[in-house]
Amino acid sequence: MLATAVRAQISESSLGRWPYNSRLFRWLVKEFPKQTTQITHNYATEASIDLKNAYKCIRLETSPPDSITIDKELVQNMYKKMVMIRRLETVANAMYKEKIVRGFCHLYTGQEAVCVGIHSAMRPTDHLITAYRCHGWCYVMGIPPLGILGELAGRECGCQRGKGGSMHMYAKRFYGGNGIVGAQVPLGAGIGLALKNEAKGNVCVALYGDGAANQGQIFEAYNIACLWRLPVIFVCENNEYGMGTKMHRASCSIEYYTRGVPLPGIYVDGMDALAIRNATQFAMDYVQKNGPMIIEAHCYRYYGHSMSDPGTSYRSREEVTEMRAKRDPISLLKEVAISNGFLTEDECKKIDADAKTELEAMAEKVKKDKEIKLEELWADVYMECKEEGVRDTIGVRHKHFRVGKTMEKDHIKLKSFKPDTKLEPQGIPMEIREWEAQVEAIKDVRNKVAKDVDKSKPEKK
Ligand SMILES: Cc1ncc(C[n+]2csc(CCOP(=O)(O)OP(=O)(O)O)c2C)c(N)n1
Ligand SMILES: [Mg+2]
């Protein structure tokens, strides 16, 4: 009976691949994990996944493809990263409760698909800037977990030698970790300006939350980025809550992807890492040719705003439980991986167990590490010191010196600071074309009226 059902499923697919989203197939995988994974394992090297309902688009003539071709390496990679981030946050949470991490700590749990999906579509030369909920981003942008945990605990092994803490971690082409809500968005536009000027075709991803989405500086950044056609993808990580406020109570429109007139926008299911990957790939191509666009990734945060917030006074426990049960991004990708024969249930368990062991060992290492010495506090302030000593240090002007490896030098190579002809709009969007046409029409009318007035004037004798 099982074999017949499975065979029927295989022949149902025109490509001879598993239609992972059919209800019967999901049921088979759930009921007979061993048998189905054995069978699927012999088949899959590649699979096509249907993403028809994952997007909504605005002000776009084309939209992201409604399917994605995936292979074993890609899915395994993405899955491992998501599990690693989940475990990283579990360890950070425990370290906070043990008072090893102090101060702020904003967990990313529940939003793993957003950073792993977006990062999987970025090239190694692209740039990224985000807000304070940054641990997942730090990891995908190349900070090793020990550097993240060490930084949270303020220890020497931290990626900023313990001087930055939770919200201030940086890496090559990764500009943090920013604690001032929304401030990273204009900074992201600035990075985009530098990239446009550098003219190597690189892109900046600038992220912000639904709670930041109503700030004026967001719209100012949209405006200048659109005017100068900057290669920036503005990503609203809509996790449905600000610090303690549901999105509906803070925003007159919760359709964040539509709100950047005349910027185009894509809404994507932020719990589906593959849909996010597809949307980002589309946006990467778009922004290089046309200038900025918005992606709204609709996700959900499982914990409170920060460690001091239990996260249950403005939402019910049932809501969180339901989201975890029905929309968990790791479970969703796991289902795809297993049903397409890219991973088995046992392999998934091993990935999780390995991540847990690895991170717990790192936590122990962090606990044994020490803080930097007091004299080092004003070291590594600048990448390159242009002045004599560290500016604005109280009393004595401290000498600049380097201790940490800090970041490898990888500046954007600016050609000129002037917004010159290279910044001229390339593909002018429809709204601007229409507006320019109207301006021309008004000019014509004015000229015509002026001529008529001239003609009607009596000639001077
Ligand atoms: C300019 C500024 N205003 C207020 C705050 C306080 N604050 C910290 S987080 C936050 C809510 C942000 O919510 P959202 O952007 O949705 O991010 P999320 O916490 O959901 O990741 C606020 C108001 C701040 N840090 N900076
Ligand atoms: Mg939010």
PDB file of all heavy atoms in Angstrom, residues 197-216:
ATOM      1  N   ASN A 197      29.249  54.420  -6.767  1.00  0.00           N
ATOM      2  CA  ASN A 197      30.413  55.164  -7.197  1.00  0.00           C
ATOM      3  C   ASN A 197      31.568  54.226  -7.554  1.00  0.00           C
ATOM      4  O   ASN A 197      32.273  54.441  -8.540  1.00  0.00           O
ATOM      5  CB  ASN A 197      30.819  56.110  -6.055  1.00  0.00           C
ATOM      6  CG  ASN A 197      31.940  57.013  -6.437  1.00  0.00           C
ATOM      7  OD1 ASN A 197      33.079  56.569  -6.472  1.00  0.00           O
ATOM      8  ND2 ASN A 197      31.638  58.256  -6.745  1.00  0.00           N
ATOM      9  N   GLU A 198      31.707  53.187  -6.792  1.00  0.00           N
ATOM     10  CA  GLU A 198      32.782  52.233  -7.043  1.00  0.00           C
ATOM     11  C   GLU A 198      32.569  51.486  -8.360  1.00  0.00           C
ATOM     12  O   GLU A 198      33.514  51.039  -9.012  1.00  0.00           O
ATOM     13  CB  GLU A 198      32.845  51.234  -5.879  1.00  0.00           C
ATOM     14  CG  GLU A 198      34.065  50.361  -5.914  1.00  0.00           C
ATOM     15  CD  GLU A 198      33.980  49.214  -4.905  1.00  0.00           C
ATOM     16  OE1 GLU A 198      32.895  48.617  -4.765  1.00  0.00           O
ATOM     17  OE2 GLU A 198      34.987  48.922  -4.271  1.00  0.00           O
ATOM     18  N   ALA A 199      31.295  51.330  -8.723  1.00  0.00           N
ATOM     19  CA  ALA A 199      30.894  50.753 -10.019  1.00  0.00           C
ATOM     20  C   ALA A 199      31.423  49.339 -10.279  1.00  0.00           C
ATOM     21  O   ALA A 199      31.877  49.032 -11.369  1.00  0.00           O
ATOM     22  CB  ALA A 199      31.306  51.696 -11.154  1.00  0.00           C
ATOM     23  N   LYS A 200      31.354  48.507  -9.248  1.00  0.00           N
ATOM     24  CA  LYS A 200      31.731  47.110  -9.475  1.00  0.00           C
ATOM     25  C   LYS A 200      30.508  46.191  -9.481  1.00  0.00           C
ATOM     26  O   LYS A 200      30.630  44.977  -9.440  1.00  0.00           O
ATOM     27  CB  LYS A 200      32.694  46.656  -8.367  1.00  0.00           C
ATOM     28  CG  LYS A 200      34.101  47.201  -8.538  1.00  0.00           C
ATOM     29  CD  LYS A 200      35.021  46.525  -7.554  1.00  0.00           C
ATOM     30  CE  LYS A 200      36.428  47.060  -7.685  1.00  0.00           C
ATOM     31  NZ  LYS A 200      37.228  46.694  -6.511  1.00  0.00           N
ATOM     32  N   GLY A 201      29.344  46.793  -9.426  1.00  0.00           N
ATOM     33  CA  GLY A 201      28.117  45.998  -9.482  1.00  0.00           C
ATOM     34  C   GLY A 201      27.736  45.353  -8.160  1.00  0.00           C
ATOM     35  O   GLY A 201      26.918  44.438  -8.129  1.00  0.00           O
ATOM     36  N   ASN A 202      28.316  45.843  -7.045  1.00  0.00           N
ATOM     37  CA  ASN A 202      27.947  45.264  -5.747  1.00  0.00           C
ATOM     38  C   ASN A 202      26.712  45.945  -5.165  1.00  0.00           C
ATOM     39  O   ASN A 202      26.384  47.074  -5.519  1.00  0.00           O
ATOM     40  CB  ASN A 202      29.117  45.352  -4.772  1.00  0.00           C
ATOM     41  CG  ASN A 202      30.265  44.491  -5.227  1.00  0.00           C
ATOM     42  OD1 ASN A 202      30.047  43.437  -5.843  1.00  0.00           O
ATOM     43  ND2 ASN A 202      31.484  44.920  -4.972  1.00  0.00           N
ATOM     44  N   VAL A 203      26.075  45.230  -4.250  1.00  0.00           N
ATOM     45  CA  VAL A 203      24.782  45.658  -3.727  1.00  0.00           C
ATOM     46  C   VAL A 203      24.857  45.744  -2.202  1.00  0.00           C
ATOM     47  O   VAL A 203      25.617  45.007  -1.580  1.00  0.00           O
ATOM     48  CB  VAL A 203      23.719  44.613  -4.159  1.00  0.00           C
ATOM     49  CG1 VAL A 203      22.427  44.746  -3.389  1.00  0.00           C
ATOM     50  CG2 VAL A 203      23.466  44.698  -5.664  1.00  0.00           C
ATOM     51  N   CYS A 204      24.059  46.651  -1.622  1.00  0.00           N
ATOM     52  CA  CYS A 204      23.964  46.695  -0.150  1.00  0.00           C
ATOM     53  C   CYS A 204      22.552  46.277   0.281  1.00  0.00           C
ATOM     54  O   CYS A 204      21.564  46.731  -0.296  1.00  0.00           O
ATOM     55  CB  CYS A 204      24.255  48.108   0.363  1.00  0.00           C
ATOM     56  SG  CYS A 204      24.085  48.233   2.159  1.00  0.00           S
ATOM     57  N   VAL A 205      22.481  45.425   1.274  1.00  0.00           N
ATOM     58  CA  VAL A 205      21.197  45.046   1.864  1.00  0.00           C
ATOM     59  C   VAL A 205      21.078  45.814   3.183  1.00  0.00           C
ATOM     60  O   VAL A 205      21.960  45.718   4.032  1.00  0.00           O
ATOM     61  CB  VAL A 205      21.136  43.526   2.133  1.00  0.00           C
ATOM     62  CG1 VAL A 205      19.811  43.145   2.793  1.00  0.00           C
ATOM     63  CG2 VAL A 205      21.343  42.740   0.842  1.00  0.00           C
ATOM     64  N   ALA A 206      20.018  46.603   3.308  1.00  0.00           N
ATOM     65  CA  ALA A 206      19.822  47.397   4.531  1.00  0.00           C
ATOM     66  C   ALA A 206      18.527  46.949   5.204  1.00  0.00           C
ATOM     67  O   ALA A 206      17.448  47.050   4.613  1.00  0.00           O
ATOM     68  CB  ALA A 206      19.758  48.882   4.189  1.00  0.00           C
ATOM     69  N   LEU A 207      18.643  46.447   6.426  1.00  0.00           N
ATOM     70  CA  LEU A 207      17.479  45.857   7.092  1.00  0.00           C
ATOM     71  C   LEU A 207      16.937  46.735   8.212  1.00  0.00           C
ATOM     72  O   LEU A 207      17.699  47.447   8.869  1.00  0.00           O
ATOM     73  CB  LEU A 207      17.878  44.506   7.697  1.00  0.00           C
ATOM     74  CG  LEU A 207      18.271  43.470   6.663  1.00  0.00           C
ATOM     75  CD1 LEU A 207      19.697  43.038   6.871  1.00  0.00           C
ATOM     76  CD2 LEU A 207      17.334  42.288   6.699  1.00  0.00           C
ATOM     77  N   TYR A 208      15.643  46.643   8.442  1.00  0.00           N
ATOM     78  CA  TYR A 208      15.026  47.337   9.570  1.00  0.00           C
ATOM     79  C   TYR A 208      13.770  46.567   9.963  1.00  0.00           C
ATOM     80  O   TYR A 208      13.295  45.701   9.219  1.00  0.00           O
ATOM     81  CB  TYR A 208      14.671  48.794   9.192  1.00  0.00           C
ATOM     82  CG  TYR A 208      13.760  48.896   7.995  1.00  0.00           C
ATOM     83  CD1 TYR A 208      12.380  49.017   8.156  1.00  0.00           C
ATOM     84  CD2 TYR A 208      14.272  48.838   6.704  1.00  0.00           C
ATOM     85  CE1 TYR A 208      11.538  49.090   7.058  1.00  0.00           C
ATOM     86  CE2 TYR A 208      13.430  48.908   5.603  1.00  0.00           C
ATOM     87  CZ  TYR A 208      12.067  49.026   5.784  1.00  0.00           C
ATOM     88  OH  TYR A 208      11.234  49.075   4.699  1.00  0.00           O
ATOM     89  N   GLY A 209      13.227  46.909  11.143  1.00  0.00           N
ATOM     90  CA  GLY A 209      12.060  46.171  11.620  1.00  0.00           C
ATOM     91  C   GLY A 209      10.761  46.895  11.324  1.00  0.00           C
ATOM     92  O   GLY A 209      10.757  48.056  10.920  1.00  0.00           O
ATOM     93  N   ASP A 210       9.653  46.209  11.545  1.00  0.00           N
ATOM     94  CA  ASP A 210       8.333  46.832  11.374  1.00  0.00           C
ATOM     95  C   ASP A 210       8.192  48.027  12.319  1.00  0.00           C
ATOM     96  O   ASP A 210       7.534  49.008  11.984  1.00  0.00           O
ATOM     97  CB  ASP A 210       7.229  45.808  11.646  1.00  0.00           C
ATOM     98  CG  ASP A 210       7.431  45.083  12.965  1.00  0.00           C
ATOM     99  OD1 ASP A 210       8.412  44.315  13.070  1.00  0.00           O
ATOM    100  OD2 ASP A 210       6.645  45.310  13.907  1.00  0.00           O
ATOM    101  N   GLY A 211       8.855  47.945  13.475  1.00  0.00           N
ATOM    102  CA  GLY A 211       8.773  49.044  14.439  1.00  0.00           C
ATOM    103  C   GLY A 211       9.503  50.292  13.979  1.00  0.00           C
ATOM    104  O   GLY A 211       9.220  51.389  14.442  1.00  0.00           O
ATOM    105  N   ALA A 212      10.437  50.122  13.063  1.00  0.00           N
ATOM    106  CA  ALA A 212      11.189  51.266  12.541  1.00  0.00           C
ATOM    107  C   ALA A 212      10.545  51.812  11.268  1.00  0.00           C
ATOM    108  O   ALA A 212      10.873  52.918  10.828  1.00  0.00           O
ATOM    109  CB  ALA A 212      12.624  50.844  12.233  1.00  0.00           C
ATOM    110  N   ALA A 213       9.620  51.049  10.717  1.00  0.00           N
ATOM    111  CA  ALA A 213       9.143  51.323   9.360  1.00  0.00           C
ATOM    112  C   ALA A 213       8.368  52.633   9.207  1.00  0.00           C
ATOM    113  O   ALA A 213       8.140  53.074   8.081  1.00  0.00           O
ATOM    114  CB  ALA A 213       8.281  50.158   8.874  1.00  0.00           C
ATOM    115  N   ASN A 214       7.972  53.255  10.312  1.00  0.00           N
ATOM    116  CA  ASN A 214       7.217  54.507  10.190  1.00  0.00           C
ATOM    117  C   ASN A 214       8.076  55.743  10.409  1.00  0.00           C
ATOM    118  O   ASN A 214       7.576  56.863  10.411  1.00  0.00           O
ATOM    119  CB  ASN A 214       6.061  54.509  11.204  1.00  0.00           C
ATOM    120  CG  ASN A 214       5.141  53.341  10.955  1.00  0.00           C
ATOM    121  OD1 ASN A 214       4.714  53.131   9.829  1.00  0.00           O
ATOM    122  ND2 ASN A 214       4.870  52.567  11.990  1.00  0.00           N
ATOM    123  N   GLN A 215       9.353  55.532  10.629  1.00  0.00           N
ATOM    124  CA  GLN A 215      10.228  56.685  10.883  1.00  0.00           C
ATOM    125  C   GLN A 215      10.467  57.497   9.614  1.00  0.00           C
ATOM    126  O   GLN A 215      10.582  56.941   8.520  1.00  0.00           O
ATOM    127  CB  GLN A 215      11.593  56.190  11.360  1.00  0.00           C
ATOM    128  CG  GLN A 215      11.629  55.706  12.772  1.00  0.00           C
ATOM    129  CD  GLN A 215      13.050  55.487  13.220  1.00  0.00           C
ATOM    130  OE1 GLN A 215      13.984  55.485  12.415  1.00  0.00           O
ATOM    131  NE2 GLN A 215      13.226  55.299  14.492  1.00  0.00           N
ATOM    132  N   GLY A 216      10.646  58.806   9.809  1.00  0.00           N
ATOM    133  CA  GLY A 216      10.907  59.698   8.680  1.00  0.00           C
ATOM    134  C   GLY A 216      12.192  59.361   7.951  1.00  0.00           C
ATOM    135  O   GLY A 216      12.249  59.415   6.715  1.00  0.00           O
TER     136      GLY A 216
END
